[in-house]
Amino acid sequence: HVDLVESGGGSVQAGGSLKLSCAASGAVSYVTTMGWFRQVPGKEREGVAVTHLGGSTNYANSVRGRFTISRDYAKNTLYLQLDSLKPEDTGMYYCAAGLANYDVEELVSGMDYWGKGTLVTISS
């Protein structure tokens, strides 16, 4: 089992930045894919960013160029740097971990573990 705890959410104005963190514990050595998905009000859950063993990353088109995912293996921590934030980025952001390779489109349906989320609110 893998436990994931997100932090770093908050309220910022449009154009601002936030950095989300996700502390992983448990059977982390079996995790192949880690990523973030979000639940925006009125929309379905959306995979945002993913990273795999070896360092490859991929992003949803809606955040590409604005968000950056990174993983610190020594600290068992996943990060998501959010820049140039827009009001439509408002939502609950969840960290997820998978025991196989999943791409960003598969984050919501395929991952094996996820945290309780951290809220991001962007004001215009």
Side-chain angles (χ1 to χ4, degrees), residues 2-118:
V2 178
D3 291 310
L4 303 169
V5 179
E6 303 94 337
S7 61
S11 298
V12 298
Q13 291 189 327
S17 299
L18 283 172
K19 187 171 185 177
L20 308 183
S21 299
C22 171
S25 61
V28 183
S29 60
Y30 294 94
V31 171
T32 299
T33 304
M34 292 198 77
W36 295 88
F37 65 91
R38 67 185 179 184
Q39 176 77 67
V40 175
K43 295 187 177 181
E44 294 185 355
R45 288 184 172 185
E46 173 192 26
V48 172
V50 66
T51 184
H52 303 100
L53 288 176
S56 64
T57 59
N58 200 11
Y59 300 89
N61 289 333
S62 58
V63 307
R64 191 183 307 275
R66 300 188 297 120
F67 292 6
T68 305
I69 190 171
S70 61
R71 182 176 176 182
D72 187 327
Y73 289 87
K75 295 182 178 180
N76 286 333
T77 302
L78 182 73
Y79 302 99
L80 186 67
Q81 177 69 42
L82 293 70
D83 296 318
S84 303
L85 284 161
K86 304 176 181 179
E88 52 263 43
D89 293 318
T90 293
M92 189 70 79
Y93 284 70
Y94 299 87
C95 174
L99 305 180
N101 283 326
Y102 298 103
D103 209 340
V104 66
E105 298 86 2
E106 302 168 300
L107 275 178
V108 174
S109 60
M111 300 291 262
D112 299 283
Y113 306 100
W114 50 92
K116 295 182 178 181
T118 185

